[in-house]
C-alpha cells in the first residue's frame, strides 16, 4: 500500500446522498484506476485516468463520475448513492515508462455501505 | 466482462503441500499477472509473465503460460500459513488496463 492512500476507509451513507472517495498517490504515476470488488465478481474497473483531466469509463461506470485535477489525486463520486453501490472500492496506480508492463499498485480500499 | 477466470474457486491444503491454480482468458494478451489479496487488504503484485514467455519463477512461485490454450497456472510450493489469501490473475491486452478474474481463495491448514 506504500505511496497510495484512500479516504475515507469506511463510510456508511444513505440512499440518494452524494459520496466522494479520494485516492492520493505520492509515486507520480501517470495512470490511476478505480475498481469495485464484490463477492464472486473479482475486481471490476469503474473509471480510469491516463493523465490530469484525462479520464475514461470502465466496464461498470454507470452511476459514477471521476475527476483528476492533479497528478496525485483521483476522485470517485457517486452522485446519488444506491444500495447496489455497497462495495469495497480500490484505487490503483501504474507507471508509464517505455516498455512498462502496467503492473498495478493498490491502495488499502474503502468499504462503502449504502443503507 | 472479465477476461481471466480462475479455477478452482477455493482450495484448501495442508501446510507444506503445493497449491496450484489456473487461469483462462479469452483474447490475446501482452502479459498476464498474478496478484495476492490478504483478507481486508489491497491486492499485491506477485509475478508477471509476458506473452512470449512460457515459465517464470520467483521464490516459491512458478507461473506457466500457454498462449495456444489461453491459460496460465500459478504454483505455490511448500505452502505456509502466511500463503492463506485470495489469488487473482489479471490479463493485460494492448492498452494500459488490466482485466481481473474472480480469484481463487487458498486456505493453508496448519
Amino acid at each position: 500500500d506504500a505511496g497510495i492512500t484512500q479516504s475515507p476507509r469506511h463510510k456508511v451513507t444513505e440512499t440518494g446522498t452524494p459520496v466522494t472517495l479520494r485516492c492520493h498517490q505520492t509515486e507520480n504515476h501517470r495512470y490511476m484506476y478505480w475498481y469495485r470488488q464484490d463477492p464472486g465478481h473479482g475486481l471490476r474497473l469503474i473509471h480510469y485516468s491516463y493523465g490530469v483531466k484525462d479520464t475514461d469509463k470502465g466496464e461498470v461506470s454507470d452511476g459514477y463520475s471521476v475527476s483528476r485535477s492533479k497528478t496525485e489525486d483521483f476522485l470517485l463520486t457517486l452522485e446519488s448513492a444506491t444500495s447496489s453501490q455497497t462495495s469495497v472500492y480500490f484505487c490503483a496506480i501504474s507507471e508509464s515508462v517505455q516498455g512498462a508492463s502496467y503492473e498495478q499498485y493498490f491502495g488499502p480500499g474503502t468499504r462503502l455501505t449504502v443503507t | 466482462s472479465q477476461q481471466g477466470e480462475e479455477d478452482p474457486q477455493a482450495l484448501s491444503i495442508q501446510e507444506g503441500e503445493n497449491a496450484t491454480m489456473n487461469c483462462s482468458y479469452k483474447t490475446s494478451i501482452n502479459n498476464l499477472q498474478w496478484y495476492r489479496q490478504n483478507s481486508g487488504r489491497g491486492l499485491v503484485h506477485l509475478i508477471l509473465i509476458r506473452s512470449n514467455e512460457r515459465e517464470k519463477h520467483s521464490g516459491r512461485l512458478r507461473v506457466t503460460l500457454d498462449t495456444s490454450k489461453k491459460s496460465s497456472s500459478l504454483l505455490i510450493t511448500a505452502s505456509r500459513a502466511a500463503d492463506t489469501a485470495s489469488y487473482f490473475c489479471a490479463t493485460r491486452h494492448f492498452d494500459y488496463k488490466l482485466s481481473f478474474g474472480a480469484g481463487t481463495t487458498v486456505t493453508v491448514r496448519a
Side-chain angles (χ1 to χ4, degrees), chain A residues 22-91:
Chain A
R22 180 181 183 237
C23 177
H24 178 79
Q25 61 148 326
T26 58
E27 307 297 323
N28 201 37
H29 283 0
R30 177 181 177 185
Y31 298 99
M32 299 186 75
Y33 313 82
W34 276 108
Y35 295 91
R36 60 178 290 172
Q37 184 175 35
D38 304 288
H41 289 278
L43 271 74
R44 291 182 290 175
L45 182 64
I46 304 171
H47 281 280
Y48 59 98
S49 170
Y50 47 96
V52 174
K53 297 187 179 179
D54 292 323
T55 65
D56 206 346
K57 297 178 180 180
E59 61 177 304
V60 290
S61 60
D62 287 349
Y64 301 94
S65 62
V66 289
S67 66
R68 192 170 178 199
S69 58
K70 297 185 288 185
T71 298
E72 58 266 35
D73 289 326
F74 192 32
L75 304 180
L76 177 70
T77 297
L78 290 66
E79 301 291 347
S80 178
T82 68
S83 59
S84 64
Q85 294 175 312
T86 291
S87 187
V88 180
Y89 292 85
F90 287 99
C91 173

Coordinates of all heavy atoms in Angstrom, one line a residue, chain A residues 22-91:
Chain A
R22 N -11.7 9.5 -2.2 CA -10.4 10.1 -2.6 C -9.3 9.1 -2.7 O -9.1 8.3 -1.8 CB -10.0 11.2 -1.7 CG -8.7 11.9 -2.1 CD -8.4 13.0 -1.2 NE -7.2 13.8 -1.6 CZ -6.1 14.0 -0.8 NH1 -6.1 13.4 0.4 NH2 -5.1 14.7 -1.2
C23 N -8.5 9.1 -3.7 CA -7.3 8.4 -3.8 C -6.1 9.3 -4.0 O -6.2 10.2 -4.9 CB -7.4 7.4 -5.1 SG -5.8 6.5 -5.3
H24 N -5.1 9.2 -3.2 CA -3.9 10.0 -3.2 C -2.7 9.2 -3.4 O -2.5 8.2 -2.7 CB -3.9 10.9 -2.0 CG -2.7 11.8 -1.9 ND1 -2.6 13.0 -2.6 CD2 -1.5 11.6 -1.2 CE1 -1.5 13.6 -2.3 NE2 -0.8 12.8 -1.5
Q25 N -1.8 9.6 -4.3 CA -0.6 8.8 -4.6 C 0.6 9.8 -4.4 O 0.5 11.0 -4.8 CB -0.5 8.2 -5.9 CG -0.6 9.2 -7.1 CD 0.1 8.7 -8.3 OE1 1.1 8.1 -8.3 NE2 -0.4 9.1 -9.5
T26 N 1.7 9.2 -4.0 CA 3.0 10.0 -3.9 C 4.0 9.5 -4.9 O 5.2 9.8 -4.8 CB 3.5 10.0 -2.5 OG1 3.7 8.6 -2.1 CG2 2.5 10.6 -1.5
E27 N 3.6 8.6 -5.8 CA 4.6 8.0 -6.7 C 4.7 8.7 -8.1 O 5.5 8.3 -8.9 CB 4.1 6.5 -7.0 CG 3.9 5.7 -5.7 CD 5.1 5.5 -4.9 OE1 6.2 5.4 -5.5 OE2 5.0 5.5 -3.7
N28 N 3.9 9.7 -8.3 CA 3.9 10.4 -9.6 C 3.6 9.5 -10.8 O 4.2 9.7 -11.9 CB 5.3 11.1 -9.8 CG 5.2 12.3 -10.7 OD1 4.2 13.0 -10.8 ND2 6.2 12.5 -11.5
H29 N 2.8 8.5 -10.6 CA 2.5 7.6 -11.7 C 1.4 8.2 -12.5 O 0.5 8.9 -12.0 CB 2.0 6.2 -11.1 CG 3.1 5.4 -10.7 ND1 4.4 5.7 -10.7 CD2 3.1 4.1 -10.2 CE1 5.2 4.7 -10.3 NE2 4.4 3.8 -9.9
R30 N 1.5 8.0 -13.8 CA 0.5 8.6 -14.7 C -0.9 8.0 -14.7 O -1.9 8.7 -14.8 CB 1.1 8.5 -16.1 CG 0.1 9.1 -17.2 CD 0.7 8.9 -18.6 NE -0.2 9.4 -19.6 CZ 0.0 9.3 -20.9 NH1 1.1 8.7 -21.4 NH2 -0.9 9.7 -21.7
Y31 N -1.0 6.7 -14.5 CA -2.3 6.0 -14.7 C -2.9 5.8 -13.3 O -2.2 5.3 -12.4 CB -2.1 4.7 -15.4 CG -1.6 4.9 -16.8 CD1 -0.3 4.7 -17.2 CD2 -2.5 5.3 -17.8 CE1 0.2 4.9 -18.5 CE2 -2.1 5.5 -19.1 CZ -0.7 5.3 -19.4 OH -0.3 5.5 -20.7
M32 N -4.1 6.0 -13.2 CA -4.9 5.7 -11.9 C -6.2 5.1 -12.3 O -6.8 5.4 -13.3 CB -5.1 7.0 -11.1 CG -3.8 7.7 -10.7 SD -4.0 9.1 -9.6 CE -4.4 8.3 -8.0
Y33 N -6.6 4.2 -11.4 CA -7.8 3.4 -11.7 C -8.7 3.3 -10.4 O -8.2 3.3 -9.3 CB -7.4 1.9 -12.0 CG -6.3 1.8 -13.0 CD1 -4.9 2.0 -12.7 CD2 -6.6 1.6 -14.4 CE1 -3.9 1.9 -13.6 CE2 -5.5 1.5 -15.3 CZ -4.2 1.6 -14.9 OH -3.2 1.5 -15.9
W34 N -10.0 3.2 -10.6 CA -10.9 2.9 -9.6 C -11.6 1.5 -9.9 O -12.1 1.4 -11.0 CB -12.0 3.9 -9.4 CG -11.6 5.1 -8.6 CD1 -11.3 6.4 -9.0 CD2 -11.4 5.1 -7.2 NE1 -11.0 7.2 -7.9 CE2 -11.1 6.4 -6.8 CE3 -11.6 4.1 -6.2 CZ2 -10.8 6.8 -5.5 CZ3 -11.4 4.5 -4.8 CH2 -11.0 5.8 -4.5
Y35 N -11.6 0.6 -8.9 CA -12.3 -0.7 -9.1 C -13.3 -0.8 -7.9 O -13.1 -0.2 -6.9 CB -11.3 -1.8 -8.9 CG -10.2 -1.9 -10.0 CD1 -9.0 -1.3 -9.8 CD2 -10.5 -2.7 -11.1 CE1 -8.0 -1.4 -10.8 CE2 -9.5 -2.9 -12.1 CZ -8.3 -2.2 -11.9 OH -7.3 -2.4 -12.9
R36 N -14.2 -1.7 -8.1 CA -15.1 -2.1 -7.1 C -14.9 -3.6 -7.0 O -14.7 -4.3 -8.0 CB -16.5 -1.7 -7.2 CG -17.2 -2.2 -8.5 CD -18.7 -1.8 -8.5 NE -19.5 -2.5 -7.5 CZ -20.7 -2.3 -7.2 NH1 -21.4 -1.3 -7.8 NH2 -21.4 -3.0 -6.3
Q37 N -15.0 -4.1 -5.7 CA -14.8 -5.6 -5.5 C -16.0 -6.1 -4.8 O -16.4 -5.6 -3.7 CB -13.6 -5.9 -4.7 CG -13.3 -7.4 -4.6 CD -12.0 -7.7 -3.8 OE1 -11.6 -7.0 -3.0 NE2 -11.4 -8.8 -4.3
D38 N -16.7 -7.0 -5.4 CA -17.9 -7.7 -4.8 C -17.7 -9.2 -4.9 O -17.1 -9.7 -5.8 CB -19.1 -7.3 -5.7 CG -19.3 -5.8 -5.8 OD1 -19.7 -5.2 -4.7 OD2 -19.1 -5.2 -6.9
P39 N -18.3 -9.9 -3.9 CA -18.1 -11.3 -3.9 C -18.5 -12.0 -5.2 O -19.6 -11.7 -5.7 CB -19.1 -11.7 -2.7 CG -19.2 -10.5 -1.9 CD -19.1 -9.4 -2.8
G40 N -17.7 -12.9 -5.7 CA -18.0 -13.6 -6.9 C -17.7 -12.8 -8.2 O -17.8 -13.4 -9.3
H41 N -17.3 -11.6 -8.1 CA -17.1 -10.8 -9.3 C -15.6 -10.3 -9.4 O -15.3 -9.7 -10.4 CB -17.9 -9.5 -9.3 CG -19.4 -9.8 -9.5 ND1 -19.9 -10.0 -10.7 CD2 -20.4 -10.0 -8.6 CE1 -21.2 -10.2 -10.6 NE2 -21.5 -10.2 -9.4
G42 N -14.8 -10.6 -8.5 CA -13.4 -10.1 -8.6 C -13.4 -8.6 -8.6 O -14.2 -7.9 -7.9
L43 N -12.5 -8.0 -9.3 CA -12.4 -6.6 -9.4 C -12.9 -6.1 -10.7 O -12.6 -6.7 -11.8 CB -10.9 -6.1 -9.3 CG -10.4 -5.8 -7.9 CD1 -10.2 -7.1 -7.1 CD2 -9.1 -5.0 -8.0
R44 N -13.8 -5.1 -10.7 CA -14.3 -4.6 -11.9 C -13.9 -3.1 -12.0 O -14.1 -2.4 -11.1 CB -15.8 -4.8 -11.9 CG -16.3 -6.2 -12.1 CD -17.8 -6.4 -12.1 NE -18.4 -6.0 -10.8 CZ -19.7 -6.0 -10.6 NH1 -20.6 -6.2 -11.6 NH2 -20.2 -5.7 -9.4
L45 N -13.5 -2.7 -13.2 CA -13.0 -1.4 -13.4 C -14.2 -0.4 -13.6 O -15.1 -0.6 -14.4 CB -12.1 -1.4 -14.7 CG -11.5 -0.1 -15.0 CD1 -10.5 0.4 -14.0 CD2 -10.8 -0.2 -16.4
I46 N -14.1 0.7 -12.8 CA -15.2 1.7 -12.9 C -14.8 2.8 -13.8 O -15.5 3.1 -14.8 CB -15.5 2.2 -11.5 CG1 -15.8 1.1 -10.5 CG2 -16.6 3.2 -11.5 CD1 -15.9 1.6 -9.0
H47 N -13.7 3.4 -13.5 CA -13.1 4.5 -14.3 C -11.6 4.5 -14.2 O -11.1 3.9 -13.3 CB -13.6 5.9 -13.9 CG -15.0 6.3 -14.3 ND1 -15.3 6.8 -15.5 CD2 -16.1 6.3 -13.6 CE1 -16.6 7.1 -15.6 NE2 -17.1 6.8 -14.4
Y48 N -11.0 5.1 -15.2 CA -9.5 5.2 -15.1 C -9.1 6.5 -15.6 O -9.8 7.2 -16.3 CB -8.8 4.0 -15.8 CG -9.1 3.9 -17.3 CD1 -8.3 4.4 -18.2 CD2 -10.3 3.3 -17.7 CE1 -8.6 4.3 -19.6 CE2 -10.6 3.1 -19.0 CZ -9.7 3.6 -20.0 OH -10.0 3.5 -21.3
S49 N -7.8 6.9 -15.3 CA -7.3 8.1 -15.8 C -5.9 7.9 -16.4 O -5.1 7.1 -15.8 CB -7.2 9.1 -14.6 OG -6.4 10.2 -15.0
Y50 N -5.6 8.5 -17.5 CA -4.3 8.4 -18.2 C -3.6 9.7 -18.2 O -2.6 9.9 -18.9 CB -4.5 7.8 -19.6 CG -5.5 8.5 -20.4 CD1 -5.3 9.5 -21.3 CD2 -6.9 8.0 -20.3 CE1 -6.2 10.1 -22.1 CE2 -7.9 8.6 -21.1 CZ -7.6 9.6 -22.0 OH -8.5 10.2 -22.7
G51 N -4.0 10.6 -17.3 CA -3.3 11.9 -17.1 C -4.3 12.9 -16.5 O -5.5 12.6 -16.3
V52 N -3.7 14.0 -16.1 CA -4.5 15.1 -15.5 C -5.6 15.5 -16.5 O -5.4 15.8 -17.6 CB -3.6 16.3 -15.1 CG1 -4.5 17.5 -14.6 CG2 -2.6 15.9 -14.1
K53 N -6.8 15.4 -15.9 CA -8.0 15.8 -16.7 C -8.4 14.8 -17.8 O -9.3 15.0 -18.6 CB -8.0 17.2 -17.2 CG -7.9 18.2 -16.1 CD -8.0 19.7 -16.6 CE -7.9 20.7 -15.5 NZ -8.0 22.1 -15.9
D54 N -7.6 13.7 -17.9 CA -7.9 12.7 -18.9 C -8.4 11.4 -18.2 O -7.7 10.7 -17.5 CB -6.6 12.3 -19.7 CG -6.2 13.5 -20.6 OD1 -7.0 14.2 -21.1 OD2 -4.9 13.6 -20.7
T55 N -9.7 11.2 -18.4 CA -10.4 10.0 -17.8 C -11.2 9.3 -18.8 O -11.6 9.8 -19.9 CB -11.2 10.4 -16.6 OG1 -12.3 11.2 -17.1 CG2 -10.4 11.2 -15.6
D56 N -11.5 8.0 -18.5 CA -12.4 7.3 -19.4 C -13.1 6.2 -18.6 O -12.8 5.9 -17.4 CB -11.6 6.6 -20.5 CG -12.4 6.3 -21.7 OD1 -13.7 6.4 -21.7 OD2 -11.8 6.0 -22.8
K57 N -14.2 5.7 -19.2 CA -15.1 4.8 -18.5 C -14.5 3.3 -18.5 O -13.9 2.9 -19.5 CB -16.5 4.8 -19.1 CG -17.2 6.1 -19.0 CD -18.5 6.0 -19.7 CE -19.2 7.4 -19.6 NZ -20.6 7.3 -20.3
G58 N -14.8 2.6 -17.4 CA -14.5 1.2 -17.4 C -15.8 0.4 -17.7 O -16.7 0.9 -18.2
E59 N -15.8 -0.8 -17.2 CA -16.9 -1.7 -17.5 C -18.2 -1.5 -16.7 O -19.3 -1.9 -17.0 CB -16.5 -3.2 -17.4 CG -16.0 -3.6 -16.0 CD -15.7 -5.1 -15.9 OE1 -16.5 -5.9 -16.2 OE2 -14.5 -5.3 -15.5
V60 N -18.0 -0.8 -15.5 CA -19.2 -0.6 -14.6 C -19.3 0.8 -14.2 O -19.3 1.2 -13.0 CB -19.2 -1.6 -13.4 CG1 -19.4 -3.0 -13.8 CG2 -17.8 -1.4 -12.6
S61 N -19.3 1.8 -15.2 CA -19.2 3.2 -14.9 C -20.6 3.9 -14.5 O -20.6 5.0 -14.0 CB -18.6 3.9 -16.0 OG -19.3 3.7 -17.2
D62 N -21.7 3.2 -14.8 CA -23.0 3.9 -14.6 C -23.1 4.2 -13.1 O -23.0 3.4 -12.3 CB -24.1 2.9 -15.0 CG -24.2 2.8 -16.5 OD1 -23.6 3.6 -17.2 OD2 -25.0 2.0 -17.0
G63 N -23.5 5.5 -12.9 CA -23.8 6.0 -11.5 C -22.5 6.5 -10.9 O -22.6 7.0 -9.7
Y64 N -21.4 6.5 -11.6 CA -20.1 7.0 -11.0 C -19.5 8.1 -12.0 O -19.7 8.0 -13.2 CB -19.1 5.9 -10.9 CG -19.5 4.7 -10.1 CD1 -20.1 3.6 -10.6 CD2 -19.2 4.7 -8.7 CE1 -20.4 2.5 -9.9 CE2 -19.6 3.6 -7.9 CZ -20.1 2.5 -8.5 OH -20.5 1.4 -7.8
S65 N -18.9 9.1 -11.3 CA -18.1 10.0 -12.1 C -16.7 10.2 -11.4 O -16.6 9.8 -10.2 CB -18.8 11.4 -12.2 OG -19.0 11.9 -10.9
V66 N -15.8 10.7 -12.2 CA -14.4 10.8 -11.6 C -13.9 12.2 -12.0 O -14.3 12.8 -13.0 CB -13.4 9.7 -12.1 CG1 -13.8 8.4 -11.5 CG2 -13.4 9.6 -13.6
S67 N -12.8 12.6 -11.3 CA -12.1 13.8 -11.7 C -10.7 13.7 -11.2 O -10.4 13.0 -10.2 CB -12.7 15.0 -11.0 OG -12.6 15.0 -9.6
R68 N -9.8 14.3 -12.1 CA -8.4 14.3 -11.7 C -7.8 15.6 -12.1 O -7.5 15.9 -13.3 CB -7.7 13.1 -12.5 CG -6.2 12.9 -12.0 CD -5.7 11.7 -12.5 NE -4.3 11.5 -12.1 CZ -3.4 10.7 -12.7 NH1 -3.8 10.0 -13.8 NH2 -2.2 10.6 -12.3
S69 N -7.7 16.5 -11.1 CA -7.2 17.8 -11.4 C -5.7 17.9 -11.1 O -5.1 18.9 -11.5 CB -8.0 18.8 -10.5 OG -7.8 18.5 -9.1
K70 N -5.2 17.0 -10.4 CA -3.7 16.9 -10.1 C -3.2 15.5 -10.3 O -4.0 14.6 -10.1 CB -3.5 17.3 -8.6 CG -3.9 18.7 -8.3 CD -3.5 19.1 -6.9 CE -4.3 18.4 -5.8 NZ -4.0 18.8 -4.5
T71 N -2.0 15.4 -10.6 CA -1.4 14.0 -10.8 C -1.7 13.1 -9.6 O -2.0 11.9 -9.8 CB 0.1 14.1 -11.1 OG1 0.3 14.9 -12.2 CG2 0.7 12.7 -11.2
E72 N -1.6 13.6 -8.4 CA -1.6 12.8 -7.3 C -3.0 12.4 -6.8 O -3.1 11.5 -5.9 CB -0.8 13.5 -6.1 CG -1.3 14.8 -5.7 CD -0.5 15.9 -6.4 OE1 -0.2 15.7 -7.6 OE2 -0.4 17.0 -5.8
D73 N -4.0 13.1 -7.2 CA -5.4 12.8 -6.7 C -6.4 12.4 -7.8 O -6.4 13.0 -8.8 CB -5.9 14.1 -6.0 CG -5.2 14.4 -4.7 OD1 -4.8 13.5 -4.0 OD2 -5.1 15.6 -4.4
F74 N -7.1 11.3 -7.4 CA -8.1 10.8 -8.3 C -9.4 10.6 -7.5 O -9.4 9.8 -6.5 CB -7.7 9.5 -8.9 CG -8.5 9.0 -10.1 CD1 -9.1 9.8 -11.0 CD2 -8.5 7.6 -10.3 CE1 -9.8 9.4 -12.0 CE2 -9.3 7.1 -11.4 CZ -9.9 8.0 -12.3
L75 N -10.5 11.3 -7.8 CA -11.7 11.3 -7.0 C -12.7 10.5 -7.7 O -12.9 10.6 -8.9 CB -12.2 12.7 -6.8 CG -11.2 13.7 -6.1 CD1 -11.9 15.1 -6.0 CD2 -10.7 13.2 -4.8
L76 N -13.4 9.7 -6.9 CA -14.6 8.9 -7.4 C -15.8 9.5 -6.7 O -15.9 9.5 -5.5 CB -14.4 7.5 -7.1 CG -15.6 6.5 -7.5 CD1 -15.7 6.4 -9.0 CD2 -15.4 5.2 -6.9
T77 N -16.8 9.9 -7.5 CA -18.1 10.4 -6.9 C -19.3 9.5 -7.3 O -19.4 9.2 -8.5 CB -18.3 11.8 -7.4 OG1 -17.2 12.7 -6.9 CG2 -19.6 12.4 -6.9
L78 N -20.0 9.2 -6.3 CA -21.4 8.6 -6.5 C -22.4 9.7 -6.4 O -22.5 10.3 -5.3 CB -21.6 7.5 -5.5 CG -20.8 6.2 -5.5 CD1 -19.3 6.4 -5.2 CD2 -21.4 5.2 -4.6
E79 N -23.0 10.1 -7.5 CA -23.8 11.3 -7.5 C -25.0 11.1 -6.6 O -25.4 12.1 -5.9 CB -24.3 11.6 -8.9 CG -23.1 11.9 -9.9 CD -22.4 13.2 -9.6 OE1 -22.9 14.0 -8.8 OE2 -21.3 13.3 -10.2
S80 N -25.6 10.0 -6.6 CA -26.8 9.6 -5.8 C -26.7 8.2 -5.4 O -27.1 7.3 -6.2 CB -28.1 9.9 -6.5 OG -29.2 9.6 -5.8
A81 N -26.1 7.9 -4.2 CA -25.8 6.5 -3.9 C -27.0 5.6 -3.8 O -28.1 6.0 -3.4 CB -25.1 6.5 -2.5
T82 N -26.8 4.4 -4.3 CA -27.8 3.3 -4.3 C -27.3 2.1 -3.5 O -26.1 1.9 -3.4 CB -28.3 2.9 -5.7 OG1 -27.2 2.2 -6.3 CG2 -28.7 4.1 -6.5
S83 N -28.2 1.3 -3.1 CA -27.7 0.1 -2.3 C -26.9 -0.8 -3.1 O -26.0 -1.5 -2.6 CB -29.0 -0.7 -1.8 OG -29.8 -1.1 -2.8
S84 N -27.0 -0.8 -4.5 CA -26.2 -1.7 -5.3 C -24.8 -1.2 -5.4 O -23.9 -1.9 -5.9 CB -26.8 -1.7 -6.7 OG -26.8 -0.4 -7.3
Q85 N -24.5 0.0 -4.9 CA -23.2 0.5 -4.9 C -22.4 0.2 -3.6 O -21.3 0.6 -3.4 CB -23.1 2.0 -5.2 CG -23.6 2.3 -6.6 CD -23.7 3.8 -6.9 OE1 -24.3 4.6 -6.1 NE2 -23.2 4.3 -8.0
T86 N -23.1 -0.5 -2.7 CA -22.4 -1.0 -1.5 C -21.3 -2.0 -2.0 O -21.6 -3.0 -2.7 CB -23.4 -1.8 -0.6 OG1 -24.3 -0.8 0.0 CG2 -22.7 -2.5 0.5
S87 N -20.1 -1.7 -1.6 CA -19.0 -2.5 -2.1 C -17.7 -2.0 -1.4 O -17.7 -1.1 -0.6 CB -18.9 -2.2 -3.6 OG -17.9 -3.1 -4.2
V88 N -16.6 -2.7 -1.8 CA -15.3 -2.3 -1.4 C -14.6 -1.7 -2.6 O -14.6 -2.3 -3.7 CB -14.4 -3.4 -0.9 CG1 -13.1 -2.9 -0.5 CG2 -15.1 -4.1 0.3
Y89 N -14.2 -0.4 -2.5 CA -13.6 0.3 -3.6 C -12.1 0.4 -3.5 O -11.6 0.8 -2.4 CB -14.2 1.7 -3.7 CG -15.7 1.7 -4.1 CD1 -16.6 1.5 -3.1 CD2 -16.0 1.8 -5.4 CE1 -18.0 1.4 -3.5 CE2 -17.4 1.8 -5.8 CZ -18.3 1.6 -4.8 OH -19.7 1.5 -5.2
F90 N -11.4 0.0 -4.5 CA -9.9 0.1 -4.6 C -9.5 1.0 -5.6 O -9.9 1.1 -6.7 CB -9.3 -1.3 -4.8 CG -9.5 -2.2 -3.7 CD1 -10.5 -3.2 -3.7 CD2 -8.5 -2.2 -2.6 CE1 -10.6 -4.1 -2.6 CE2 -8.7 -3.1 -1.6 CZ -9.7 -4.0 -1.6
C91 N -8.5 1.8 -5.2 CA -7.7 2.6 -6.2 C -6.4 1.9 -6.5 O -5.8 1.2 -5.7 CB -7.4 4.0 -5.5 SG -6.4 5.1 -6.5

